[in-house]
């Protein structure tokens, strides 16, 4: 087997040449069948004339909180994507324009940083905000929306003391004196001062528990998906220790996989947790090949038999963590001399079957990965897809709230692409022409039944230039190398989340859910047909909501 690894910009592919460890099961190749649309990617989806067809029965009066009328008026005509949520909670039925499919029964949950101030103090970065959960409950063609703040210790302490009390992404509590600064450093090393503000993702475990997550391990919080109540911390029962983990674990009906960066002895521990337990068990470890610390691992992909561990030259930096004011790259540092790598670990044995150098890269989110096999069922390549920002670290600074709120019409969003090709050291190559998605792709989802398998479609946020943040929804066809785009000019859409239709045989048979912050200071829930990518329904919120990050689907039981 010739050694090669590919890393493509929307579609990073990693080809590796070493023989597969025989202790790992290698199954016969099962060809996935796709029956998909091939309509031109240039065709833009036009909003149809919609009428009110579904009006949900209003929930009991005790569960309804009136919207803040005065705040709505103040924000009229202003984009509220980057403004703090106006009240701690709200719940109510929404009027629906269009038709919600009757098969869509369940709850879409979206998590994200929605409160960027404490009293008169304003936070600096998008990732600093206190977590705001939004709930869209679909049942029999009707829709009820609610939102609520996650009651983390960081949020409750800030409310009680009217000041920042824990370390957020870029924010550090101001020490009263030198002794308190020394105490803060001690708390940093013990993890006591790190935030538990679970503002990044939300996942449904196989046993039914719903957990909100961020990159600190203590920021794992169980919530009730029906009421959005905070139920308590998700406490790991093992003794693996560590302070941080990947914000995006891989969650299936049979397992929970995540990476634990080791900041002392640079590397990554790959762990698995079985449904119904809180105990993580070690699969294996990857030692870093370069640099003074492990690279940032916000997310990672898996295939049927392998875990792909990325080692990015954007690395954790202890010196930056110790500083009282944020540096340009916050808790990270760019070490191009340390190079970039992809490591392939066998799930069954924990052994590293390939470690391949790749060009320098910067990515937040991997989309998916899968194995390519020969006629005898032997793995010949691994394809790992991600949204790669051309090794441009300015994406972190561009996400400062001041920059997001002060768009002047200049095109300041770094390019994103999809990488790969097949040389001995790996290379980056676009999976499709970057102009198809406006060179601004991120925040992706796929049909969950194709996780770790060969797939055709991805749904993401793209860009209509000029812009300073992704402002379109995009359906990527990796087979035809085309894209379909949806846009509401001047609006900011959140991550498009794909929900497959029960019993579907086509990969893109389902709906795409997104929440839109529009240019008039308002917002709405949006449903697109997963196949045609045309709008099928929308429901206006009582007032505009701030931007959110990632979501999950909780089906009705």
């Amino acid at each position: 087997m010739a050694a090669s690894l590919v890393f493509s910009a929307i579609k990073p592919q990693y080809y590796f040449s070493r023989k597969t460890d025989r202790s790992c099961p290698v199954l016969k190749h099962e060809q996935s069948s796709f029956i998909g649309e091939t309509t031109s990617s240039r065709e833009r989806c036009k909003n149809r004339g919609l009428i009110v067809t579904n009006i949900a029965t209003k929930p009991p009066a005790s569960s309804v909180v009136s919207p803040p009328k005065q705040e709505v008026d103040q924000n009229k005509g202003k984009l509220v994507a980057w403004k703090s949520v106006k009240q701690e909670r709200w719940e109510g039925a929404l009027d629906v324009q269009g038709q919600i499919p009757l098969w869509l029964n369940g709850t879409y949950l979206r998590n994200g940083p929605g409160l960027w101030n404490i009293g008169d103090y304003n936070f600096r970065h998008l990732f600093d905000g206190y977590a705001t959960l939004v709930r869209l409950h679909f049942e029999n063609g009707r829709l009820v929306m609610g939102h609520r703040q996650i009651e983390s210790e960081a949020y409750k302490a800030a409310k009680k003391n009217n000041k920042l009390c824990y370390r957020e992404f870029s924010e550090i509590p101001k020490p009263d004196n030198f002794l308190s600064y020394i105490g803060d450093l001690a708390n940093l090393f013990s993890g006591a001062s790190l935030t538990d503000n679970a503002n990044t993702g939300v996942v449904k475990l196989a046993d039914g528990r719903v957990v909100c997550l961020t990159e600190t391990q203590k920021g794992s919080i169980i919530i009730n998906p029906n009421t959005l109540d905070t139920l308590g911390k998700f406490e790991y029962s093992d003794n693996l220790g560590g302070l941080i983990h990947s914000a995006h674990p891989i969650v299936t009906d049979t397992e929970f996989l995540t990476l634990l960066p080791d900041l002392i002895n640079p590397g990554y521990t790959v762990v698995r947790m079985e449904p119904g337990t809180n105990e993580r068990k070690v699969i294996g470890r990857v030692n870093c090949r370069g640099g003074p610390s492990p690279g940032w691992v916000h997310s990672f992909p898996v295939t049927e038999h392998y875990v792909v561990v990325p080692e990015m030259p954007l690395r954790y930096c202890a010196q930056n963590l110790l500083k009282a004011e944020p540096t340009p790259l916050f808790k990270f540092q760019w070490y191009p001399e340390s190079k970039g790598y992809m490591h392939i670990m066998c799930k069954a044995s924990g052994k590293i079957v390939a470690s391949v150098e790749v060009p320098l890269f910067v990515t937040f989110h991997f989309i998916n990965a899968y194995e390519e096999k020969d006629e005898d069922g032997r793995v010949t390549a691994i394809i790992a897809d991600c949204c790669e920002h051309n090794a441009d670290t300015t994406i972190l600074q561009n996400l400062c709230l001041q920059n997001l709120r002060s768009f002047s019409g200049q095109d300041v969003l770094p390019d994103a692409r999809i990488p790969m090709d097949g040389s001995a050291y790996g290379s980056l190559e676009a999976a499709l022409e970057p102009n198809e998605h406006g060179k601004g792709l991120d925040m992706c989802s796929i049909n969950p039944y194709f996780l770790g398998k060969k797939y055709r479609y991805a749904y993401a946020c793209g860009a209509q230039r000029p812009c300073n943040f992704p402002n379109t929804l995009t359906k990527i066809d990796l087979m035809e190398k085309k894209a379909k785009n949806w846009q509401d000019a001047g609006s900011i859409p959140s991550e498009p989340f794909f929900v497959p239709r029960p019993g579907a045989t086509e990969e893109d048979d389902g709906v795409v859910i997104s929440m839109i912050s529009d240019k008039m200071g308002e917002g709405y829930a949006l449903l697109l047909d997963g196949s045609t990518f045309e709008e099928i329904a929308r429901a206006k919120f009582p007032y505009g909501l701030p931007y959110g990050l990632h979501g999950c689907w909780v089906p009705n039981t």
Side-chain angles (χ1 to χ4, degrees):
M1 209 191 299
S4 62
L5 174 129
V6 191
F7 179 38
S8 84
I10 238 187
K11 188 172 167 87
Q13 308 168 358
Y14 300 98
Y15 293 106
F16 62 91
S17 65
R18 301 186 187 174
K19 292 184 178 179
T20 304
D21 186 339
R22 291 302 172 193
S23 65
C24 297
V26 178
L27 306 181
K28 293 288 185 181
H29 178 55
E30 297 181 3
Q31 185 70 31
S32 299
S33 61
F34 305 108
I35 306 174
E37 293 285 330
T38 57
T39 22
S40 168
S41 65
R42 301 297 181 184
E43 178 184 0
R44 295 196 176 273
C45 303
K46 298 181 180 178
N47 295 339
R48 294 176 287 179
L50 301 176
I51 58 174
V52 176
T53 57
N54 303 314
I55 301 178
T57 303
K58 294 189 180 297
S62 60
S63 68
V64 179
V65 181
S66 298
K69 299 295 185 183
Q70 183 178 1
E71 296 292 354
V72 171
D73 294 338
Q74 288 178 353
N75 286 324
K76 201 70 175 176
K78 300 178 181 178
L79 181 70
V80 297
W82 320 120
K83 296 181 182 295
S84 290
V85 65
K86 295 305 176 185
Q87 58 191 65
E88 190 174 57
R89 63 184 300 177
W90 185 84
E91 182 180 347
L94 302 182
D95 292 345
V96 177
Q97 292 181 305
Q99 196 91 30
I100 296 175
L102 293 178
W103 60 260
L104 187 66
N105 286 290
T107 298
Y108 171 63
L109 297 172
R110 189 195 72 178
N111 192 10
L115 181 64
W116 291 290
N117 67 284
I118 290 297
D120 295 331
Y121 183 78
N122 295 308
F123 295 166
R124 283 172 275 214
H125 200 278
L126 172 65
F127 298 159
D128 287 326
Y130 293 114
T132 302
L133 273 174
V134 183
R135 175 180 183 265
L136 300 178
H137 179 69
F138 300 89
E139 189 165 4
N140 298 324
R142 298 178 178 181
L143 174 57
V144 173
M145 186 272 273
H147 72 75
R148 187 169 182 177
Q149 298 302 112
I150 295 177
E151 294 183 323
S152 63
E153 292 302 320
Y155 174 67
K156 291 189 295 184
K159 280 183 61 180
K160 178 181 178 180
N161 298 289
N162 202 34
K163 67 177 183 179
L164 185 76
C165 298
Y166 289 83
R167 286 174 171 257
E168 301 297 337
F169 180 81
S170 75
E171 297 289 343
I172 300 171
K174 300 302 180 186
D176 297 325
N177 50 51
F178 180 73
L179 288 179
S180 65
Y181 172 68
I182 297 301
D184 177 69
L185 292 184
N187 288 334
L188 171 61
F189 288 114
S190 70
S193 68
L194 295 180
T195 188
D196 67 339
N197 176 23
N199 68 0
T200 305
V202 54
V203 296
K204 184 185 80 69
L205 305 184
D207 56 29
R209 290 178 292 178
V210 176
V211 182
C212 295
L213 297 162
T214 189
E215 293 188 343
T216 63
Q217 291 191 39
K218 66 189 288 188
S220 303
I221 295 178
I222 305 173
I223 61 102
N224 183 319
N226 299 316
T227 64
L228 302 185
D229 288 343
T230 299
L231 302 181
K233 289 194 181 299
F234 186 94
E235 301 279 3
Y236 296 100
S237 60
D238 52 68
N239 58 1
L240 294 178
L243 301 178
I244 55 178
H245 58 183
S246 171
H248 293 283
I250 302 295
V251 181
T252 70
D253 290 339
T254 59
E255 62 186 3
F256 172 107
L257 300 170
T258 194
L259 304 183
L260 309 181
D262 185 341
L263 303 179
I264 305 301
N265 182 21
Y268 312 91
T269 302
V270 183
V271 299
R272 173 192 288 118
M273 187 170 67
E274 295 181 355
T277 74
N278 289 41
E279 182 182 4
R280 300 163 299 180
K281 296 181 179 179
V282 174
I283 297 175
R285 176 186 164 89
V286 174
N287 292 319
C288 288
R289 293 277 296 271
S293 58
W296 187 22
V297 283
H298 185 72
S299 68
F300 66 99
V302 299
T303 69
E304 188 176 5
H305 301 108
Y306 301 100
V307 178
V308 179
V309 181
E311 185 180 345
M312 191 161 55
L314 182 63
R315 298 178 181 271
Y316 296 97
C317 180
Q319 294 93 325
N320 287 352
L321 280 172
L322 297 176
K323 293 179 179 177
E325 294 294 331
T327 64
L329 293 180
F330 307 101
K331 57 188 174 183
F332 309 110
Q333 190 59 269
W334 182 244
Y335 291 100
E337 67 279 4
S338 72
K339 303 178 181 178
Y341 299 91
M342 290 288 161
H343 309 282
I344 311 298
M345 177 183 289
C346 174
K347 286 184 185 177
S349 69
K351 294 182 179 179
I352 308 300
V353 299
S355 288
V356 183
E357 181 183 340
V358 296
L360 303 182
F361 67 101
V362 170
T363 186
F364 294 147
H365 300 115
F366 281 83
I367 307 169
N368 195 23
Y370 60 91
E371 301 161 14
E372 287 194 339
K373 302 175 183 179
D374 62 19
E375 294 178 352
D376 297 322
R378 292 175 297 190
V379 176
T380 59
I382 286 182
I383 315 301
D385 298 344
C386 76
C387 300
E388 200 279 314
H389 294 277
N390 287 327
D392 187 350
T393 60
T394 61
I395 184 68
L396 284 173
Q397 270 296 323
N398 289 345
L399 295 178
C400 286
L401 291 166
Q402 180 181 0
N403 296 330
L404 294 173
R405 291 167 176 163
S406 59
F407 180 52
S408 62
Q410 292 182 321
D411 199 14
V412 294
L413 178 67
D415 290 352
R417 50 182 179 158
I418 313 172
M420 258 153 177
D421 85 348
S423 65
Y425 293 98
S427 66
L428 292 172
E429 154 191 308
L432 77 165
E433 166 56 44
N435 286 326
E436 287 283 323
H437 54 76
K439 301 185 293 183
L441 201 77
D442 216 319
M443 308 299 286
C444 300
S445 73
I446 63 169
N447 185 323
Y449 294 116
F450 287 78
L451 177 68
K453 302 175 183 177
K454 191 168 185 178
Y455 70 117
R456 178 173 179 175
Y457 301 109
Y459 301 90
C461 290
Q464 178 67 42
R465 305 287 182 153
C467 60
N468 67 342
F469 197 82
N471 57 3
T472 69
L473 297 174
T474 298
K475 177 186 179 181
I476 302 294
D477 184 334
L478 296 170
M479 182 180 295
E480 296 291 329
K481 299 187 180 299
K482 294 290 184 180
K484 294 180 180 180
N485 298 289
W486 176 96
Q487 185 185 26
D488 179 354
S491 72
I492 298 292
S494 66
E495 174 187 67
F497 190 89
F498 181 83
V499 180
R501 182 179 63 81
T505 57
E506 299 176 1
E507 184 183 350
D508 59 351
D509 185 355
V511 299
V512 175
I513 304 172
S514 182
M515 300 187 200
I516 314 298
S517 174
D518 70 23
K519 63 184 177 183
M520 298 307 295
E522 299 178 338
Y524 56 94
L526 175 73
L527 291 186
L528 300 177
D529 182 282
S531 176
T532 65
F533 216 54
E534 293 180 351
E535 179 176 327
I536 57 175
R538 68 169 64 186
K540 184 180 177 181
F541 297 150
Y543 46 87
L545 292 176
Y547 181 77
L549 295 176
H550 304 287
C552 75
W553 177 253
V554 181
N556 284 352
T557 55

